[in-house]
Amino acid sequence: MGLDIAHIRKDFPILRQQVYNKPLIYLDNGATTHKPQVVIDTEREIQEKQNSSIHRGIHYLSEQMTNRYEAARETVRAFINAASVQEIIFTSGATGSINAVAFSFGEKYVGEGDEILISEMEHHSNIVPWQMLCERKKARLKVIPFDEKGELRVEQLDTLLSEKTRIVALTHASNSLGSINPVQEVIRRAHEREIPVLLDGAQMVQHGKVDVRELDCDFYVFSSHKIFGPTGSGVLYGKEALLEDLPPYQGGGDMVDQVTFEKTTYNTLPFKFEAGTMHFTGAIGLAAALEYIRSVGIEEIGRYEQELIRYTRAKLEGIEQLRIYGESENRISVFSFLLDNIHPYDAGMILDKMGIAVRTGTHCTQPVMDHFGISGTIRASMVFYNTMEEIDMLADGIRRTIEMLS
């Protein structure tokens, strides 16, 4: 039995509105996803009835909020099948999580002449923190290339991995090419050399089941706002032994055990990496989003989105003047494309006037654009509340745009 998409759409109030007197067709989910009513209600309930700082108070509201915050950690643990809640760190998002690992792991394990391995298709947030680390430590950044289909050239790992490689940081799925990377093969090869692997799951965790123990990754990061939760919140998963071994990224309240002017000792996991007053409403809102996804069924979501992918590909490939960038068969519901002799910004503005929200630009993957010798693309990114009818309207809108601007 398939998903009842019409019923699901009713859970997302923002989808009911019109823009420019036309029904909103929201195809910018790679940038941020919308919130179901249950997440909106959860955030409102906290502000109206329970708001209080976590962990430090003995009064009723603080204890209620602390319990909900730690229950949210268990919800995240179960969603990605981590072994323990000690392995779940709440952060400001995937970017914050990557920066935390780049700093903490880098301080402990990276020195002059060492190497960090990433891929050519990374989001800037999985490039720049490692560049900063390399500059700080006089290390070297190495890059796994991808081919013209947008598929990672894993055969080059044998030469790219070396005794100097300290960590591999790789996107699970590309936000601009749509490619799902063969991460388990990369992890296997890296672990043969005892090299840890960080996966950026910001574009994957909302599209299908993620089991960090099955993947055997050492770190996994994702953002709340890309999986139907609040902005400003996210997750860093790390294997407990690794997290125990790493120094904290930031100092402040709650991440300490004892503080004197002579010496400070640190709190236990996971609190060692959660300095200051955390975005507890965001963490609880994220948990509400994950519970919503669980109620719908992540496997069912994945199956429906594969149908949506096949339908979208057929529609776009039927437009003669359109070229898709990223042609991997193993993909998420993200399509980047250009129209002959039409600037993506111009096309995006015309589509917007039709009520169709797409993303234009480099999508924070400028090296991907450099690979193809282009300045940017138009990107349509879908999730399970999008419909085949919306894809029909996208295709019709593209054809009208071509007629207007060619």
Side-chain angles (χ1 to χ4, degrees):
M1 182 176 176
L3 298 179
D4 184 346
I5 304 302
H7 179 75
I8 285 169
R9 286 177 66 85
K10 293 178 182 178
D11 294 334
F12 293 83
I14 200 169
L15 300 179
R16 300 171 200 156
Q17 69 177 301
Q18 293 193 335
V19 294
Y20 305 114
N21 296 316
K22 296 176 178 63
L24 171 64
I25 300 172
Y26 186 78
L27 304 176
D28 193 22
N29 295 284
T32 197
T33 53
H34 293 311
K35 300 175 183 65
Q37 190 67 53
V38 65
V39 173
I40 297 169
D41 291 345
T42 296
E43 291 188 276
R44 180 183 295 116
E45 177 196 17
I46 291 170
Q47 300 300 342
E48 290 180 349
K49 298 180 180 179
Q50 293 183 318
N51 181 57
S52 187
S53 190
I54 57 172
H55 292 153
R56 301 167 180 82
I58 61 170
H59 58 81
Y60 178 81
L61 289 183
S62 180
E63 289 187 344
Q64 290 290 105
M65 201 83 281
T66 297
N67 291 339
R68 291 191 71 176
Y69 181 76
E70 293 307 324
R73 200 187 305 275
E74 167 56 26
T75 298
V76 175
R77 184 212 65 76
F79 192 82
I80 62 172
N81 195 32
S84 165
V85 290
Q86 275 71 40
E87 298 180 325
I88 304 299
I89 312 298
F90 286 119
T91 67
S92 60
T95 299
S97 298
I98 294 168
N99 275 274
V101 176
F103 186 88
S104 294
F105 185 90
E107 286 301 297
K108 179 87 174 184
Y109 288 113
V110 178
E112 184 174 351
D114 287 340
E115 296 172 351
I116 311 295
L117 183 60
I118 63 173
S119 89
E120 189 182 12
M121 65 176 72
E122 298 306 315
H123 189 281
H124 295 166
S125 61
N126 203 29
I127 300 174
V128 180
W130 303 109
Q131 286 180 325
M132 294 169 70
L133 168 62
C134 288
E135 290 172 4
R136 192 167 69 247
K137 292 286 190 169
K138 298 182 180 179
R140 180 186 176 199
L141 191 69
K142 296 176 71 174
V143 179
I144 311 167
F146 63 84
D147 63 22
E148 292 309 294
K149 291 182 67 178
E151 295 179 339
L152 209 62
R153 299 188 63 180
V154 291
E155 73 278 2
Q156 295 198 15
L157 282 174
D158 289 337
T159 55
L160 289 169
L161 292 170
S162 75
E163 69 279 357
K164 294 182 179 180
T165 309
R166 294 295 169 259
I167 191 169
V168 177
L170 177 67
T171 185
H172 198 165
S174 168
N175 75 309
S176 55
L177 300 171
S179 313
I180 299 175
N181 281 320
V183 293
Q184 285 187 287
E185 174 67 9
V186 175
I187 291 167
R188 183 186 66 80
R189 294 200 191 187
H191 283 181
E192 286 175 352
R193 298 170 178 259
E194 299 184 346
I195 300 167
V197 178
L198 176 146
L199 294 182
D200 176 0
Q203 295 291 334
M204 186 65 203
V205 72
Q206 67 275 49
H207 294 295
K209 184 179 179 181
V210 169
D211 185 325
V212 293
R213 282 192 276 181
E214 182 179 329
L215 289 169
D216 197 27
C217 57
D218 301 278
F219 302 101
Y220 198 93
V221 308
F222 64 94
S223 294
S224 170
H225 74 104
K226 294 183 189 291
I227 189 169
F228 317 105
T231 56
S233 186
V235 170
L236 163 61
Y237 157 81
K239 289 181 177 177
E240 187 170 353
L242 261 174
L243 292 176
E244 287 281 12
D245 196 43
L246 295 182
Y249 169 48
Q250 295 176 313
D254 215 23
M255 54 76 67
V256 293
D257 177 27
Q258 297 292 324
V259 178
T260 69
F261 289 118
E262 289 72 35
K263 182 176 177 59
T264 292
T265 56
Y266 302 128
N267 207 340
T268 57
L269 289 175
F271 314 113
K272 181 174 77 168
F273 291 100
E274 295 182 358
T277 300
M278 298 298 293
H279 183 18
F280 50 86
T281 57
I284 296 165
L286 168 60
L290 298 184
E291 290 289 359
Y292 176 81
I293 293 299
R294 184 191 60 78
S295 71
V296 175
I298 191 66
E299 289 87 356
E300 288 78 7
I301 287 171
R303 282 192 287 270
Y304 172 74
E305 288 187 359
Q306 287 303 309
E307 294 176 17
L308 200 60
I309 288 168
R310 288 189 288 270
Y311 192 84
T312 304
R313 185 197 292 272
K315 283 289 182 177
L316 295 183
E317 288 179 346
I319 301 172
E320 184 178 348
Q321 300 93 331
L322 184 149
R323 177 185 172 183
I324 296 172
Y325 291 85
E327 299 177 287
S328 176
E329 292 297 323
N330 190 23
R331 64 183 304 121
I332 56 172
S333 47
V334 168
F335 287 89
S336 290
F337 56 91
L338 284 176
L339 309 177
D340 285 350
N341 303 315
I342 297 175
H343 197 282
Y345 292 163
D346 295 335
M349 291 175 64
I350 297 297
L351 290 170
D352 177 53
K353 296 300 187 235
M354 301 177 194
I356 303 170
V358 294
R359 178 71 45 163
T360 60
T362 66
H363 321 300
C364 291
T365 56
Q366 194 168 334
V368 171
M369 306 303 142
D370 293 342
H371 177 103
F372 291 108
I374 57 179
S375 60
T377 67
I378 306 160
R379 184 185 71 184
S381 50
M382 290 76 71
V383 292
F384 68 104
Y385 51 58
N386 291 119
T387 67
M388 310 298 178
E389 291 77 16
E390 288 181 319
I391 302 307
D392 290 339
M393 296 178 75
L394 170 65
D396 290 342
I398 291 171
R399 288 190 173 91
R400 289 174 60 192
T401 301
I402 292 169
E403 290 174 4
M404 294 173 65
L405 298 180
S406 290

